[in-house]
Amino acid sequence: MRKILFQSLLKGPVTETGPAADDAEVAALAQRVDASARRRLGRSLAIREVDAGSCNGCELEIHALNNPFYDLERFGFKFVASPRHADVLMVTGPVTHNMREALERTYAATPDPKWVVAVGDCACDGGLFAGSYACAGPVEKVVPVDLRIRGCPPDPVALLKGLLALLEAQSGPARSRG
Amino acid sequence: MVARSLADLVAAGQPVAAHRPWPRAVVPETVWTEAAQQLRDGHLTLLGLWGEPKTVHMAVLDEGTWRGAVLTLRCPDGRFPSVGRLHPPAIRLERAIGDLFGMMADGSPDMRPWLDHGSWGVAQPLDRRAPVPLRPGTEYRFLAVEGRGLHQIPVGPVHAGIIEPGHFRFTANGEAVARLEERLGYVHKGIESLMAGAALERGSQLAQRTSGDSVVAYGIAFARAVEAALGAAPPPRALWLRALMAELERIANHCGDVGAICNDAAFAVMHAQCGILRERTLRAAAAAFGHRLMRDRVVPGGVAGDLAAGGREAIVALLDEIRRRLPGLIALYDNTTSLQDRTVGTGVVKPALVRQWAPGGHVGRASGRSFDARRDLAYAPYDRLSFEVPVRHEGDVNARVWIRIREIEQSVSLIEQILATMPPGEVLRALPAGGGEGVGWAEAFRGDVLVWLRLDPAGRIARCHLRDASWFQWPLLEAAIEGNIVADFPLCNKSFNCSYSGHDL
């Protein structure tokens, strides 16, 4: 382990040397969030992910946000284990009827102010599963949606852009939905 | 009495024409039950059990000859002799048939609903689709656990991590788990209903959205079923490209899972390092095939496109990086005693259970089951490539980690062989018109995926069933956690990494 840690020290993190970190887009995004996140959220936004029927493809790419290339936490975002700790619900999937109640209860358990981000084509319009007897439809049919990030699945840069757009889009304080 | 051969069982029924590559026969009840007895006695292996209106099908495999067959039983009164009564791996499949078709498995020890949670507003959605009142919050009867000092811990469907939804009902005595009972079905999307009447292109897309981590494997299994049904042969180069994508998918998933298992033991360094390899693999896939998860690249008849310019170089660079970095990570895993303390001896799946349930993938191979569809039900190009199927016998989390590590190494070697021997030529061929029935399979990173379908004369999908490897793995997770501490459940769960979506359909 010492060898790997030592090499990491010498070479520096992949976040800076890797292709994603060198990507001008990511660097620009990082700068933008610095200013707006600090102003509105004290540089911190807690995210609770809810799979409401996804094929698990979106989860794989949301997971990737935490890898050393994208290192989501440097932007001030953090995934949390409970909706009670969350500012944002990231919801994936065409909302199956079997998950509908769980999503509603997760939303109710999230304190105001809160935002809902629909992630992936299924969450945005039902995707390929639209019209199924087993699906309630897009997330917005079940809980109010503030932002849609499309893609099948959206890649980590698209997810990052979307999360940052959320900050941009909120010109005032977050809406309260009791 | 000597068990009759599978060929004899098939011959005892009415053969169905135009079913490929294995035979299908409509058998009388006696033969159906005889097959179930052979499953119980270990002469045959259950590959799948699914329904159609007033009909049930059972796919079985003879591991002596590696030949399979589909046995069909007509059940006009909506009942059939339970296979699960004799062979427990069939129980959940029969419960799903009950939910989707309303057919009852006579004598089954478990008649509770499985996928139907009372929220669809229809009953038997793949058959009559009768409207029924919603039954929100219907009480699900969990199995009873009795004894002094027991308490229950309900977990899910919304879990603490970024994972799929399912419910785990733990009954614990202090820290030790006395029983885990799973309740699944939360992500049931009605995929098989959407398949009915779909064109092949849409069917292939649906198949590749059945379990997002096994996009390529599902694409291959579906395409092979279609090609079998139509008697079509995709161009050789397409088969090599499919295998190339399948091995990239395997590497990406195993890297991600090995890291995640270590992370569940709070060993973040491995998680970060494995995450780097996974990300590099996805980027190489995107460079070579235009999509990180390689979605909709496999199509019936071949593949959607050839390697992109620079794709080969990206993959060669990836292999080089894996070869450089993996040995250090293996040593790190192997030499960290605090990590080994969590994985060795944890979550043991006993070899006897594995023999009974015949789970594919690392769950079986870590408990002595040497089965790999790429080798044993060989399909091109694996019949021309050289690789080993790693097997261990301890059956614990550690063994499943090692199987995954060894499979990464094998996949690296396979990709090198594929790049060296890939034939030139076209990558997509038009399919012949017409209908037929076909069965296809592919080895996904977690085990074999089976697809059975019937195409109508216009070439549209009349019925398609997809069976994920998870069906025969999820129940073993319940066995693996027994007697372990609750805190080790995430380790056990991740070392299996069953698919919720692939199972729930």
Side-chain angles (χ1 to χ4, degrees):
Chain A
M1 172 144 84
R2 254 174 294 169
K3 196 176 160 200
I4 286 177
L5 292 177
F6 194 59
Q7 279 175 350
S8 299
L9 273 177
L10 285 179
K11 288 187 185 167
V14 288
T15 318
E16 288 173 7
T17 54
D22 290 340
D23 189 343
E25 200 163 37
V26 177
L29 293 174
Q31 273 186 332
R32 271 159 61 202
V33 78
D34 249 355
S36 48
R38 207 182 351 253
R39 196 167 63 246
R40 298 196 188 104
L41 298 152
R43 300 189 62 204
S44 160
L45 195 55
I47 306 169
R48 171 64 253 189
E49 200 267 350
V50 184
D51 174 341
S54 148
C55 71
N56 80 33
C58 287
E59 279 61 39
L60 294 174
E61 293 298 56
I62 292 171
H63 254 296
L65 288 173
N66 279 327
N67 79 28
F69 289 86
Y70 304 104
D71 186 21
L72 186 70
E73 294 199 9
R74 77 190 140 130
F75 302 107
F77 298 106
K78 183 173 170 43
F79 286 99
V80 293
S82 167
R84 299 191 194 284
H85 306 155
D87 307 304
V88 176
L89 293 182
M90 278 180 104
V91 186
T92 64
V95 192
T96 60
H97 285 304
N98 288 354
M99 269 306 288
R100 181 183 185 131
E101 184 189 348
L103 174 59
E104 287 168 346
R105 287 168 68 164
T106 305
Y107 181 80
T110 310
D112 284 320
K114 59 190 164 197
W115 295 278
V116 175
V117 183
V119 173
D121 288 347
C122 296
C124 292
D125 62 14
L128 227 50
F129 307 105
S132 166
Y133 66 85
C135 296
V139 175
E140 66 186 27
K141 280 190 110 172
V142 180
V143 295
V145 170
D146 299 282
L147 179 79
R148 290 158 192 85
I149 304 176
R150 300 197 65 102
C152 187
D155 65 27
V157 173
L159 289 167
L160 209 45
K161 277 184 188 164
L163 287 173
L164 295 163
L166 180 68
L167 296 174
E168 296 286 318
Q170 299 288 326
S171 52
R175 277 168 280 165
S176 171
R177 294 194 184 94
Chain B
M1 192 182 86
V2 178
R4 284 205 282 179
S5 73
L6 182 55
D8 286 345
L9 291 182
V10 171
Q14 292 286 323
V16 175
H19 185 282
R20 286 181 287 256
W22 295 337
R24 176 164 89 83
V26 180
V27 297
E29 239 180 69
T30 50
V31 174
W32 178 267
T33 300
E34 189 179 338
Q37 286 162 348
Q38 290 208 21
L39 291 171
R40 176 196 62 196
D41 299 339
H43 300 306
L44 293 175
T45 302
L46 184 65
L47 288 182
L49 182 62
W50 66 96
E52 277 194 274
K54 305 286 178 263
T55 307
V56 281
H57 304 283
M58 166 162 58
V60 292
L61 178 69
D62 178 345
E63 295 197 4
T65 60
W66 296 120
R67 294 192 62 83
V70 176
L71 305 177
T72 300
L73 179 69
R74 304 251 183 257
C75 26
D77 58 353
R79 312 186 78 85
F80 61 98
S82 168
V83 178
R85 178 174 63 93
L86 299 167
H87 188 57
I91 292 175
R92 286 183 180 176
L93 290 157
E94 289 178 344
R95 292 167 69 186
I97 290 173
D99 290 345
L100 299 174
F101 294 92
M103 289 185 291
M104 288 301 130
D106 270 336
S108 169
D110 191 345
M111 303 289 270
R112 292 174 297 170
W114 183 236
L115 301 176
D116 185 351
H117 293 194
S119 63
W120 295 336
V122 292
Q124 308 165 20
L126 290 187
D127 187 3
R128 292 186 299 130
R129 241 190 225 227
V132 293
L134 293 176
R135 296 174 281 124
T138 309
E139 195 66 35
Y140 182 79
R141 206 165 29 81
F142 285 94
L143 299 177
V145 191
E146 290 171 10
R148 282 170 59 89
L150 294 175
H151 63 283
Q152 289 203 336
I153 310 170
V155 178
V158 178
H159 298 158
I162 306 170
I163 59 170
E164 300 180 79
H167 182 86
F168 299 119
R169 183 65 59 99
F170 295 94
T171 304
N173 190 332
E175 270 292 280
V177 177
R179 165 175 269 167
L180 161 65
E181 188 179 356
E182 298 153 356
R183 190 190 185 193
L184 302 175
Y186 289 92
V187 286
H188 176 75
K189 292 180 269 293
I191 290 176
E192 297 192 341
S193 150
L194 294 167
M195 281 279 189
L200 290 183
E201 185 187 0
R202 177 170 156 84
S204 180
Q205 290 168 351
L206 281 165
Q208 293 180 55
R209 281 154 186 81
T210 301
S211 186
D213 48 24
S214 304
V215 166
V216 177
Y218 269 92
I220 293 174
F222 179 84
R224 294 188 64 230
V226 171
E227 289 151 8
L230 298 175
R237 185 174 176 82
L239 299 175
W240 260 257
L241 287 169
R242 285 179 184 177
L244 176 54
M245 288 190 265
E247 298 313 315
L248 286 171
E249 183 172 88
R250 198 177 323 277
I251 291 174
N253 281 306
H254 282 332
C255 283
D257 282 357
V258 169
I261 293 165
C262 296
N263 196 45
D264 281 338
F267 196 62
V269 181
M270 274 294 279
H271 187 224
Q273 295 288 332
C274 291
I276 291 172
L277 289 185
R278 176 180 164 85
E279 178 68 20
R280 294 256 195 241
T281 308
L282 297 187
R283 288 180 182 194
F289 298 102
H291 190 281
R292 285 161 59 92
L293 304 182
M294 297 169 282
R295 234 169 208 163
D296 303 330
R297 271 33 184 190
V298 178
V299 294
V303 293
D306 210 328
L307 271 174
R312 173 182 284 266
E313 293 72 18
I315 293 171
V316 169
L318 169 74
L319 298 186
D320 184 51
E321 170 151 14
I322 294 175
R323 279 198 188 289
R324 266 189 298 113
R325 298 183 84 129
L326 191 60
L329 297 181
I330 296 172
L332 178 58
Y333 174 77
D334 204 20
N335 297 332
T336 304
T337 47
S338 60
L339 182 56
Q340 299 272 310
D341 186 46
R342 297 291 305 279
T343 59
V344 175
T346 304
V348 173
V349 182
K350 294 194 178 71
L353 266 184
V354 157
R355 277 196 297 278
Q356 182 184 24
W357 287 75
H362 42 264
V363 175
R365 294 197 271 273
S367 296
R369 182 171 191 247
S370 177
F371 173 79
D372 189 316
R374 293 172 296 174
R375 181 193 65 190
D376 301 317
L377 302 174
Y379 48 99
Y382 293 106
D383 48 354
R384 314 256 191 94
L385 303 172
S386 156
F387 63 102
E388 283 168 21
V389 178
V391 176
R392 289 178 75 108
H393 298 274
E394 308 92 313
D396 56 0
V397 171
N398 179 55
R400 288 187 284 277
V401 169
W402 277 108
I403 295 290
R404 288 156 173 280
I405 289 171
R406 294 291 171 241
E407 289 186 13
I408 294 171
E409 295 168 346
Q410 292 298 316
S411 292
V412 168
S413 155
L414 278 167
I415 291 176
E416 282 176 338
Q417 297 173 50
I418 290 167
L419 289 178
T421 60
M422 192 157 52
E426 54 177 349
V427 298
L428 183 60
R429 220 172 259 167
L431 293 167
E437 295 182 356
V439 58
W441 58 87
E443 184 73 21
F445 83 98
R446 68 163 60 82
D448 49 299
V449 169
L450 186 84
V451 173
W452 178 86
L453 51 74
R454 176 186 301 120
L455 305 178
D456 66 22
R460 301 180 84 84
I461 298 165
R463 170 87 176 98
C464 176
H465 172 69
L466 312 119
R467 197 272 299 146
D468 195 87
S470 305
W471 278 98
F472 304 125
Q473 296 172 341
W474 273 120
L476 297 182
L477 181 60
E478 293 182 348
I481 189 64
E482 207 177 295
N484 286 249
I485 60 172
V486 177
D488 278 344
F489 180 69
L491 275 169
C492 298
N493 194 18
K494 201 70 208 177
S495 72
F496 274 60
N497 194 9
C498 298
S499 174
Y500 299 70
S501 181
H503 165 281
D504 292 355
L505 289 172

